[in-house]
Amino acid sequence: MADPVTTTPVLQLKNIRKSYGSGETESEILHGIDLRLERGEFAALIGPSGSGKSTLLNLIGLLDRPSGGQLFIDGQETGQLDDTGLTRLRGQRIGFVFQHHHLIPAFTALENVAMPLLVARGRPDADMFAQAGRLLDQVGLAERKQNLANQLSGGQQQRVAIARALAMSPSLVLADEPTGNLDTHSADDVFALLREVNTRLNTTFLIVTHDQRLAARCDRIIEMVDGNIVADRRHQAATN
Amino acid sequence: MKSWMPFEWIAAIRFLREGRMQSLLIIVGVGVGVAVIVFMSALLSGLQANLVKRTLSSQAHIVLLPPEEIARPQSSAAGVALRLQKQAQRLRSIDQWQQIQARLEALPEIAAISPIASGPAFVVRGDANKAITLLGIDPVRYSGVIALPERMVAGQLRVGAGEAVIGIELAKDLGADIGDKIRVTTAGDATETFTVTGLFDLGNKGVNARNVYVSLRSAQSLLDLVGGVSSIDISLHDIDEAERLASKIAAETGLTADSWIKTNAQFVTALTSQRVSSNVIRFFIGLSVAFGIASVLVVSVIQRAREIGILRAMGASQGQMLRIFLLQGGIVGFFGSLLGSGLAWTFLMLWRLMARNPDGTPMFIIGVDPWLVAIAAGGASLVGILSALLPARRAARLDPVVAIRG
Ligand SMILES: Nc1ncnc2c1ncn2[C@@H]1O[C@H](COP(=O)(O)OP(=O)(O)OP(=O)(O)O)[C@@H](O)[C@H]1O
Ligand SMILES: [Mg+2]
């Protein structure tokens, strides 16, 4: 792993807070989170339900704004950006994989994977479909390119979602319970795929999971309780 | 995926295609609205054009008369009063009508000018005796103002010396036919006998019973107007200009100029209020179409909240989301208007088949103006985009976090 002092971290959080509501009903969900992810890290975020994992992931993914603190993506401070700036940074640097697959049913697998490129470039071109095709080959769905999203099994949909998350070659992939809806076998496959991308492309991953077994296969385990990080362990990942 | 199409168009079309039933229903809804508007507009303009044409078939667009003389009460001389009284009985002629005619001929708005010597008279044939309007005309000039040659049902439009053309109604009243003789007598006891050379039907019973056309010269001598004319009939290229031009001519010549719009004021008012009420109806149809499109799109935004959230997470901007939904409104409006124009065309064809006079001829001609279709298409697309404004803004402002969690 690269020397953490000299390289820019992919992600840096300084005293991040998040509250919902205002006045009487205001309640703080995140109480000052500090976190740093280096390039190529493969980290699990664990914790009991309601501890704030999804809230934190949404902040990191620039889908939401923190109530306090600073958030850096690839060294860039994000607090001053307007919606357009956040949207652009999100599109270029961050890939999402959600629990509920979240493909767009009106489009084929190939089109879904090409979608981030289409959104960024404004018009379709041959190059983006070639790239989407390669990504689908890599996630083992070479045969399913022209299937509509809802003609795929859950595990297949999640593979498409992973391919899509990689389309823009992001620095950071955020996955919120990517295997939560899958059976053990498919979950293992999907997890292995994430790990493989991480090794091959050196992409940074932050994966929320309730599955202790899968968390143990990550390089780092960050544990949250009630809106605080209570443990952060690096370890030699259990071999598959 | 068409490579020239921008992302927003692709997404808008896919969303519409995916929500097939919804899209189809709203397009049909827009189509029915557009069809009613197009059909109503075509029908109304056809009807009005037809009514105006009928009204003007026996009327000049502008009639010039001698200036109205105002009786002056302060004038004390008894002789003046006497003269006025005498003049009221006599027909007045237009001073220097040849010069006025020459000046009018220079005006580009004027299509034809016809000087006329006309006045009341009686026609006698055997026992029959009828009050008529005697009109002395130059048939060539007069035909430029009133399409009399087309309206001849028997004989021909020929008014040489001792020849007269009468209406079918009068012919019936007198029991006269082509070649028969009629005797015309005026108030001044002047009398002349004419041979009937033609019968006309101007589509107006009163005119057919009253008008008797003779040569200008015969009328002038019978009506004691030697060398003069009592009115000048004018036809225009653009009938809507009649009022403006009448004022202009009146100001320039000092004559009284009556436009058909003024002469038929009630009729014109009726036409105008008919147009206004149809505009009101059109407006409300447009409004209900707009609400229909808006309500379907509002539902669609709610249904697609999750997809909107994913697209936003993948870097789609608020502007892109806005445009995707505006386009859906515009596309629905556009296709609805095409369907509507097709429907309207079908209705009009059916109307043509069904709305017929008792003799089987079409009641009146109406056509679909291609411009009307173009305006309907443009208008409906615009209405579609405008009605999509609210739902589209909603889509753009949707919080992706909420959308994704849902
Ligand atoms: N929009 C919101 N308004 C108010 N409270 C919220 C909102 N979103 C989340 N919360 C609260 O924030 C807390 C953390 O929620 P969060 O979804 O981050 O938990 P989590 O760790 O992801 O839980 P899980 O493992 O069940 O997914 C919860 O108590 C939740 O009720
Ligand atoms: Mg969660």
Side-chain angles (χ1 to χ4, degrees):
Chain A
M1 189 175 293
D3 180 355
V5 182
T6 55
T7 55
T8 314
V10 168
L11 172 72
Q12 188 162 24
L13 306 184
K14 290 184 179 168
N15 197 26
I16 287 289
R17 297 176 178 277
K18 180 67 184 177
S19 311
Y20 284 114
S22 58
E24 291 276 291
T25 60
E26 179 166 347
S27 65
E28 197 175 73
I29 306 295
L30 301 177
H31 314 290
I33 304 281
D34 292 298
L35 183 66
R36 198 183 150 108
L37 283 180
E38 308 299 336
R39 178 156 309 283
E41 274 200 285
F42 195 74
L45 181 61
I46 61 168
S49 187
S51 56
K53 305 183 294 295
S54 296
T55 304
L56 183 61
L57 222 63
N58 289 336
L59 291 177
I60 296 171
L62 309 178
L63 290 170
D64 206 354
R65 287 173 186 275
S67 314
Q70 286 177 299
L71 197 159
F72 300 83
I73 303 285
D74 285 334
Q76 184 177 352
E77 220 272 305
T78 58
Q80 309 306 319
L81 296 174
D82 62 2
D83 188 80
T84 313
L86 289 179
T87 300
R88 183 170 305 136
L89 194 64
R90 174 168 69 232
Q92 286 167 356
R93 303 296 171 89
I94 295 167
F96 288 93
V97 180
F98 301 100
Q99 177 177 356
H100 300 287
H101 322 312
H102 285 326
L103 299 181
I104 303 181
F107 292 89
T108 65
L110 187 72
E111 289 165 344
N112 264 284
V113 175
M115 194 59 67
L117 295 161
L118 179 61
V119 165
R121 294 182 195 172
R123 272 167 214 272
D125 57 51
D127 168 71
M128 69 177 63
F129 291 110
Q131 194 175 333
R134 280 195 297 278
L135 285 165
L136 278 176
D137 292 343
Q138 285 162 23
V139 299
L141 287 175
E143 309 298 315
R144 294 276 179 268
K145 285 172 186 161
Q146 298 309 328
N147 285 40
L148 284 178
N150 49 18
Q151 296 167 343
L152 299 171
S153 76
Q156 287 170 335
Q157 287 186 41
Q158 201 59 309
R159 287 165 173 276
V160 175
I162 292 167
R164 183 181 65 188
L166 299 173
M168 294 287 285
S169 312
S171 341
L172 177 61
V173 172
L174 303 173
D176 198 347
E177 302 186 44
T179 60
N181 255 16
L182 303 177
D183 61 65
T184 321
H185 182 70
S186 312
D188 278 351
D189 278 358
V190 164
F191 197 84
L193 180 62
L194 294 178
R195 187 51 146 166
E196 185 209 317
V197 171
N198 164 253
T199 323
R200 192 157 45 83
L201 303 175
N202 205 29
T203 308
T204 311
F205 280 80
L206 182 59
I207 303 163
V208 173
T209 183
H210 281 282
D211 189 332
Q212 287 296 333
R213 204 174 46 86
L214 294 180
R217 281 156 60 178
C218 296
D219 302 330
R220 181 177 170 187
I221 299 175
I222 302 154
E223 188 176 351
M224 280 183 79
V225 173
D226 286 340
N228 290 302
I229 292 179
V230 294
D232 187 349
R233 307 185 293 278
R234 284 169 211 276
H235 71 120
Q236 201 60 49
T239 46
N240 302 333
Chain B
M1 235 181 241
K2 307 280 187 299
S3 60
W4 47 269
M5 234 188 224
F7 159 68
E8 289 91 333
W9 279 87
I10 295 170
I13 291 168
R14 286 295 174 93
F15 282 177
L16 283 174
R17 277 212 328 232
E18 200 197 15
R20 199 164 293 136
M21 203 59 195
Q22 262 174 13
S23 309
L24 210 68
L25 285 176
I26 189 61
I27 285 174
V28 169
V30 175
V32 169
V34 170
V36 171
I37 289 177
V38 170
F39 180 68
M40 209 173 67
S41 305
L43 202 60
L44 191 75
S45 61
L47 178 74
Q48 293 206 342
N50 183 60
L51 285 175
V52 169
K53 198 176 142 213
R54 277 191 193 184
T55 303
L56 293 181
S57 69
S58 57
Q59 280 185 30
H61 299 162
I62 298 177
V63 177
L64 296 186
L65 297 167
E68 275 173 42
E69 282 186 11
I70 302 148
R72 291 183 187 81
Q74 75 267 32
S75 107
S76 49
V80 174
L82 205 83
R83 219 193 79 224
L84 273 177
Q85 212 179 3
K86 190 173 179 234
Q87 271 205 339
Q89 286 175 349
R90 267 193 60 188
L91 283 169
R92 287 179 294 123
S93 74
I94 297 176
D95 284 339
Q96 299 181 314
W97 62 271
Q98 282 98 339
Q99 279 97 315
I100 290 172
Q101 179 181 323
R103 261 162 67 193
L104 292 177
E105 258 153 12
L107 293 179
E109 296 96 330
I110 290 180
I113 303 167
S114 173
I116 293 167
S118 73
F122 288 96
V123 61
V124 183
R125 176 177 143 75
D127 294 340
N129 184 338
K130 286 272 163 194
I132 57 151
T133 304
L134 185 69
L135 295 110
I137 57 167
D138 169 345
V140 176
R141 285 189 162 275
Y142 192 71
S143 303
V145 176
I146 308 286
L148 203 51
E150 296 167 22
R151 302 307 191 106
M152 299 305 294
V153 291
Q156 46 188 299
L157 175 57
R158 206 179 67 220
V159 287
E163 293 176 330
V165 169
I166 64 174
I168 48 168
E169 214 54 48
L170 183 62
K172 203 159 67 188
D173 292 346
L174 298 174
D177 209 339
I178 306 290
D180 289 346
K181 301 245 186 265
I182 54 171
R183 202 151 57 83
V184 173
T185 309
T186 56
D189 270 345
T191 297
E192 190 177 340
T193 302
F194 295 94
T195 307
V196 176
T197 50
L199 303 180
F200 65 82
D201 176 6
L202 278 173
N204 177 321
K205 200 164 178 175
V207 170
N208 290 345
R210 221 170 41 237
N211 284 13
V212 171
Y213 293 104
V214 297
S215 71
L216 195 53
R217 191 175 296 267
S218 297
Q220 281 170 335
S221 66
L222 278 169
L223 295 167
D224 193 12
L225 275 170
V226 177
V229 299
S230 56
S231 67
I232 299 177
D233 279 14
I234 294 172
S235 80
L236 304 176
H237 295 294
D238 180 0
I239 59 168
D240 294 329
E241 288 284 284
E243 191 51 43
R244 191 185 65 77
L245 213 68
S247 313
K248 186 174 144 186
I249 294 170
E252 277 182 17
T253 60
L255 298 176
T256 303
D258 290 334
S259 75
W260 74 273
I261 294 175
K262 196 177 268 170
T263 320
N264 301 279
Q266 269 190 330
F267 170 69
V268 173
T269 309
L271 291 189
T272 308
S273 55
Q274 203 176 36
R275 272 199 295 270
V276 169
S277 62
S278 102
N279 282 343
V280 170
I281 295 171
R282 271 186 266 195
F283 172 77
F284 281 106
I285 293 173
L287 203 65
S288 69
V289 164
F291 277 112
I293 296 177
S295 66
V296 164
L297 286 178
V298 165
V299 172
S300 160
V301 168
I302 295 167
Q303 285 173 336
R304 299 197 179 280
R306 181 183 275 211
E307 287 151 76
I308 293 166
I310 310 165
L311 284 169
R312 296 278 285 130
M314 289 187 312
S317 66
Q318 290 194 339
Q320 283 175 319
M321 297 324 301
L322 187 79
R323 287 191 290 277
I324 288 173
F325 281 87
L326 288 183
L327 274 172
Q328 290 186 59
I331 291 169
V332 161
F334 180 75
F335 282 103
S337 73
L338 290 192
L339 176 70
S341 300
L343 281 176
W345 188 83
T346 314
F347 290 161
L348 285 172
M349 290 300 128
L350 287 176
W351 168 268
R352 256 187 221 181
L353 286 179
M354 272 152 32
R356 287 187 177 272
N357 291 319
D359 63 1
T361 55
M363 206 179 277
F364 53 86
I365 304 300
I366 42 175
V368 186
D369 186 351
W371 268 109
L372 194 60
V373 175
I375 290 170
S381 309
L382 194 70
V383 166
I385 290 171
L386 288 180
S387 28
L389 218 53
L390 217 78
R393 273 172 47 149
R394 219 183 138 138
R397 297 196 177 156
L398 204 74
D399 183 354
V401 174
V402 177
I404 288 163
R405 193 177 40 218

